[in-house]
Amino acid sequence: MIMVTLDKEQIHRIIYDPGDTAYLTHNFHPYSAKFIPQLPGYLIRSLSSQDETILDPFCGSGTTLVEAKLLGRRSIGVDIHPLGAFMSRVKSTKIANDRLSATQPLMKRIKRRVESHVKHHGESGFAYSIPDFKNRDHWFQPHVLQELSIIKSSILDEDLSRELREFLLLGFSSIIVYVSNQESETRYSSYKKRIPPLHTYQTYRKKISDMVRRMREFNQVASDCEVVCYNADVRELNFLEDNSVDAIVTSPPYPNTYDYYLYHKQRMNWLDMEWEFLKEVEIGSRLKHSSQGMGIDSYMQDMQEGFEHFRRVLRPDRNLAIIIGDSVIQDELYKGDNMVANLSESVGFKILDHVDYDLGLASRSFNRAFRSTSKREHILILQNLK
Ligand SMILES: C[S@@+](CC[C@H](N)C(=O)[O-])C[C@H]1O[C@@H](n2cnc3c(N)ncnc32)[C@H](O)[C@@H]1O
């Protein structure tokens, strides 16, 4: 049976004391403001039945899609961030165990190439290419650059299935900020870290071995339900059919909180992904609201365009679960529940239930910006009144 009221005690338990939040493929790659996976898990179970279709139109790192696959629901993910859409696909795609075994000989080949490069002062005997992008040498120390280049060229040089190549490239992407001069996942300033020779390769080897173990476990417990990921703009969802979705579970960008394009810029440089366009199309970025001085109206306009599609693609009377935080723009506090109430009223959703909690205490809020504030985060369940 579909339950549209929220069990507040259970939600508070999930938020404040969720236990392991990095199980299975959830741990593959860092991403800011990921869901605590138990939360979309709870919402998917409450709002849908087996084999129904779940949409997450701001899927980010794909947490909702992984949970949908674990719970036997089909799912569709959309994100404007090419890396987000990419990691969503890899995290929710099974790879047969015998295919995963091919990673072992590959790791040995990479080790030989990196070691002989270190021993022979730059000569590895393996033809690899070093990518060229703006400020490359500011962000990467020379030996890190060489080791990353050997790893990437080795992956591309192999005759692999698309799934396995993407899996290996996602592991590669996950270590890039750590071995670069970028301070942290959410701080885009540079300092020279102490990264000894071979450390980049060793970090990659450990990462892949962990990912292989997790993928084997995922293979055992995940359903075979289809997952489709689109790298697209939430305001342009015409490619999704009317009434094609049974529930929406999502968390939009909170206004003036993150710059997703910025934190992952170096990764996208290595993965040959475009990122310049994200400055224009990323909704709610700090760039737009802090640097360019845009007010809340532009955010609400963008969200309204998304909401109109949500109403169109969601079946009548079915539910949209949205998780949104309070935000401050130019010293003014905007409450997440009020934003959703305005959007619901103008587009045609009815609010059925609402739970909120202190954002600074929630365990996913590793962003220092939230820790000392009294901002709250809200979960709202809406019904499609069409
Ligand atoms: C709060 S995050 C979602 C995180 C996700 N729930 C997870 O578990 O990883 C919001 C996402 O909205 C995406 N986004 C921003 N502007 C967008 C747009 N115009 N269209 C689609 N996605 C957008 C960002 O790239 C980001 O991944």
Side-chain angles (χ1 to χ4, degrees):
M1 203 182 68
I2 309 285
M3 286 285 300
V4 289
T5 52
L6 295 165
D7 177 341
K8 296 188 173 54
E9 269 181 28
Q10 187 165 355
I11 288 189
H12 283 147
R13 253 197 317 276
I14 291 174
I15 298 299
Y16 294 125
D17 188 16
D20 181 11
T21 57
Y23 51 88
L24 301 168
T25 61
H26 288 303
N27 191 47
F28 274 13
H29 199 286
Y31 203 77
S32 301
K34 274 184 188 181
F35 274 140
I36 294 170
Q38 289 86 345
L39 185 57
Y42 166 80
L43 294 167
I44 291 168
R45 273 195 304 271
S46 307
L47 302 179
S48 67
S49 315
Q50 289 271 319
D51 292 323
E52 287 194 329
T53 301
I54 310 293
L55 168 67
D56 185 345
F58 296 102
C59 68
S61 65
T63 317
T64 305
L65 314 181
V66 171
E67 287 297 305
K69 181 118 177 147
L70 291 171
L71 292 167
R73 273 70 164 173
R74 294 171 224 271
S75 63
I76 301 168
V78 177
D79 204 283
I80 197 69
H81 206 303
L83 184 61
F86 177 69
M87 73 180 79
S88 297
R89 182 166 68 234
V90 176
K91 286 167 67 176
S92 54
T93 303
K94 289 182 179 178
I95 301 179
N97 290 347
D98 56 338
R99 292 218 162 152
L100 289 170
S101 306
T103 55
Q104 271 187 351
L106 173 61
M107 285 304 134
K108 286 192 182 137
R109 277 193 283 283
I110 297 177
K111 180 169 188 259
R112 257 200 322 274
R113 287 164 187 164
V114 173
E115 278 177 350
S116 76
H117 174 86
V118 170
K119 273 194 211 130
H120 300 106
H121 307 289
E123 285 304 315
S124 69
F126 170 65
Y128 60 92
S129 55
I130 300 184
D132 189 17
F133 49 84
K134 201 171 159 201
N135 297 331
R136 183 193 70 187
D137 299 337
H138 173 72
W139 291 106
F140 295 92
Q141 297 171 50
H143 65 290
V144 172
L145 184 63
Q146 302 282 348
E147 288 184 38
L148 285 174
S149 300
I150 292 175
I151 296 170
K152 183 183 168 193
S153 295
S154 297
I155 299 169
L156 297 184
D157 203 44
E158 295 282 312
D159 183 18
L160 302 168
S161 64
R162 172 184 160 169
E163 288 79 13
L164 191 57
R165 175 172 300 107
E166 292 191 343
F167 173 89
L168 290 161
L169 286 172
L170 187 68
F172 175 73
S173 170
S174 80
I175 70 163
I176 283 177
V177 169
Y178 170 69
V179 297
S180 75
N181 297 335
Q182 183 175 324
E183 187 179 333
S184 74
E185 289 291 339
T186 50
R187 293 198 150 225
Y188 197 67
S189 54
S190 81
Y191 84 100
K192 200 169 159 190
K193 298 173 195 161
R194 216 185 66 75
I195 310 271
L198 291 178
H199 186 65
T200 302
Y201 156 71
Q202 284 156 353
T203 307
Y204 183 60
R205 180 177 47 81
K206 271 198 208 123
K207 180 70 198 178
I208 293 300
S209 125
D210 183 63
M211 283 174 67
V212 166
R213 182 179 59 75
R214 287 168 182 279
M215 184 53 87
R216 288 189 200 277
E217 285 170 22
F218 182 70
N219 285 340
Q220 274 183 353
V221 292
S223 70
D224 289 323
C225 287
E226 188 186 30
V227 181
V228 188
C229 302
Y230 296 98
N231 177 207
D233 193 318
V234 78
R235 295 164 297 181
E236 294 167 8
L237 296 183
N238 290 325
F239 57 90
L240 297 180
E241 284 180 22
D242 296 4
N243 303 323
S244 56
V245 161
D246 300 292
I248 300 179
V249 174
T250 198
S251 177
Y254 307 170
N256 202 21
T257 305
Y258 291 110
D259 280 310
Y260 284 94
Y261 83 91
L262 188 65
Y263 309 143
H264 298 293
K265 204 159 139 175
Q266 298 311 327
R267 295 189 161 113
M268 290 188 279
N269 282 332
W270 277 95
L271 295 180
D272 307 309
M273 289 174 176
E274 299 287 331
W275 52 261
E276 196 69 46
F277 77 102
L278 288 171
K279 292 182 184 173
E280 290 286 319
V281 293
E282 185 179 317
I283 295 174
S285 63
R286 286 165 57 102
L287 172 76
K288 283 186 176 162
H289 296 292
S290 284
S291 310
Q292 298 172 350
M294 287 187 192
I296 193 72
D297 291 354
S298 70
Y299 177 83
M300 293 301 281
Q301 176 57 40
D302 290 340
M303 288 293 289
Q304 174 150 348
E305 288 175 37
F307 260 64
E308 276 159 9
H309 282 292
F310 303 164
R311 181 160 183 274
R312 181 182 62 75
V313 300
L314 185 62
R315 288 193 221 288
D317 295 326
R318 298 301 296 263
N319 304 106
L320 158 57
I322 185 163
I323 292 94
I324 185 166
D326 298 340
S327 303
V328 173
I329 302 177
Q330 287 146 23
D331 296 330
E332 188 144 350
L333 178 72
Y334 294 95
K335 305 234 342 118
D337 49 342
N338 290 344
M339 293 186 243
V340 174
N342 288 340
L343 289 164
S344 301
E345 195 176 327
S346 54
V347 173
F349 283 100
K350 177 179 166 195
I351 297 180
L352 297 181
D353 208 353
H354 172 204
V355 176
D356 68 349
Y357 41 86
D358 182 340
L359 190 47
L361 298 177
S363 64
R364 80 165 161 155
S365 147
F366 57 85
N367 185 334
R368 288 177 213 177
F370 289 133
R371 288 204 195 125
S372 56
T373 67
S374 54
K375 287 179 188 165
R376 296 188 75 74
E377 195 165 55
H378 310 264
I379 304 178
L380 295 110
I381 305 292
L382 316 181
Q383 184 183 17
N384 194 356
L385 294 181
K386 85 180 156 190

